[in-house]
Amino acid sequence: MTHGLDREWVQDALCALHDAGYQKGGARQAVIEALASHDCAVTALELEDDLRTSEVAVARASIYRALDQLEALRLVHRVDVGRGRASYERAERDGEHHHHMVCDRCGRVTPFEDGRLERAIRRVSDGATFDVKEHEIVLRGLCPRCS
Amino acid sequence: MTHGLDREWVQDALCALHDAGYQKGGARQAVIEALASHDCAVTALELEDDLRTSEVAVARASIYRALDQLEALRLVHRVDVGRGRASYERAERDGEHHHHMVCDRCGRVTPFEDGRLERAIRRVSDGATFDVKEHEIVLRGLCPRCS
DNA sequence: ATGACTGCAAAGCCTTTGCACGCAA
DNA sequence: TTGCGTGCAAAGGCTTTGCAGTCAT
């Protein structure tokens, strides 16, 4: 899923953190760069693996702390693809987003997007009793490799 | 969310379990009846609370085991509304189903359904690279009481 | 010097598993 | 009698928290 670092998002994130009063820190920066190299949801433990093989060593606790902070600033989205593990992915500035297909067999996660689906969601949200702020859609089944 | 026991579903479930070779058991039966009294997703621990105040005492492990078995027979759906806790709800025989709105503040879960949304989902599923078997939609925001 | 950032280890939570006992068939 | 069903306690897996040392400002 790595597709080249999204440098623009890294800059945005560092800037937003600075504005929010955070100081500089190597662990957090490493987490940000690891996130920037993924185009779709990754778990905290996958990030830990990424970082273990990189030059910087980052403690698991620091990964979770950084993810919490980034989520609070809406720089990352927390995604629940099931089985009790949370995943995280970059939030785009323009609100653009995708959803996920998860393979029941191998766990592979693949993103997709669909305008008509988004419109249907918006229509439902507008008519709902809740004040809806976000939505999450997960399709489950078998990936091409497993089916 | 309790709305009277769904006796028909209880019968279906007991029958399906029998057909699948399961024997009778008080704990499992109690779990089934607890599930039948809810119209929307409940967690295993909420079921445990229900059962604690009922006449039958059911161990936590038995609740999880019963839920696993019921899910395997597709008598209940496992739903992930986030925060690492799984929820479970009755599966309707006719495949009818609903989705969920979750309150970010109080955690309240409310069901909704929408035909147009289902059609949009089906269209995406049909065109996907995955062989999609299920889908799950969660809207997040504030419930009427919290907003 | 002050307070934020980090690593390590311990604690927390939900869930699963191992084992011995009891009940259904 | 056989083996499934159950309760209890322990173990697992992911996440959070406490604390002391380190680094940025």
Side-chain angles (χ1 to χ4, degrees), chain A residues 115-125, chain B residues 114 116-117 120:
Chain A
R116 224 180 300 185
L117 184 51
E118 292 301 325
R119 282 191 291 281
I121 285 283
R122 170 188 288 248
R123 211 177 44 77
V124 172
S125 299
Chain B
D114 185 85
R116 225 182 300 186
L117 183 51

Side-chain angles (χ1 to χ4, degrees), chain A residues 51-98:
Chain A
L51 293 169
R52 202 195 326 280
T53 63
S54 84
E55 59 204 64
V56 230
V58 177
R60 186 172 298 186
S62 298
I63 296 174
Y64 282 108
R65 281 190 282 242
L67 290 171
D68 278 354
Q69 295 158 351
L70 292 167
E71 194 199 9
L73 294 176
R74 305 197 160 280
L75 293 161
V76 308
H77 285 310
R78 180 177 181 147
V79 176
D80 286 296
V81 290
R83 306 301 110 171
R85 292 163 248 263
S87 297
Y88 300 83
E89 63 189 5
R90 300 191 316 263
E92 303 298 335
R93 245 186 321 195
D94 51 21
E96 196 118 319
H97 67 282
H98 59 245

Side-chain angles (χ1 to χ4, degrees), chain B residues 24 44-45 60-61 64-65 84-86:
Chain B
K24 269 176 95 164
L45 271 44
R60 186 172 297 186
Y64 282 108
R65 281 190 281 242
R85 290 165 252 262

Side-chain angles (χ1 to χ4, degrees), chain A residues 130, chain B residues 102-110 141-147:
Chain A
F130 273 47
Chain B
V102 182
C103 181
D104 288 333
R105 178 97 65 85
C106 70
R108 200 146 72 104
V109 177
T110 301
L142 296 175
C143 72
R145 205 177 302 168
C146 288
S147 68

Side-chain angles (χ1 to χ4, degrees), chain A residues 96-111:
Chain A
E96 196 118 319
H97 67 282
H98 59 245
H99 297 291
H100 302 93
M101 298 189 287
V102 182
C103 181
D104 288 334
R105 178 97 66 87
C106 69
R108 200 147 71 104
V109 177
T110 301

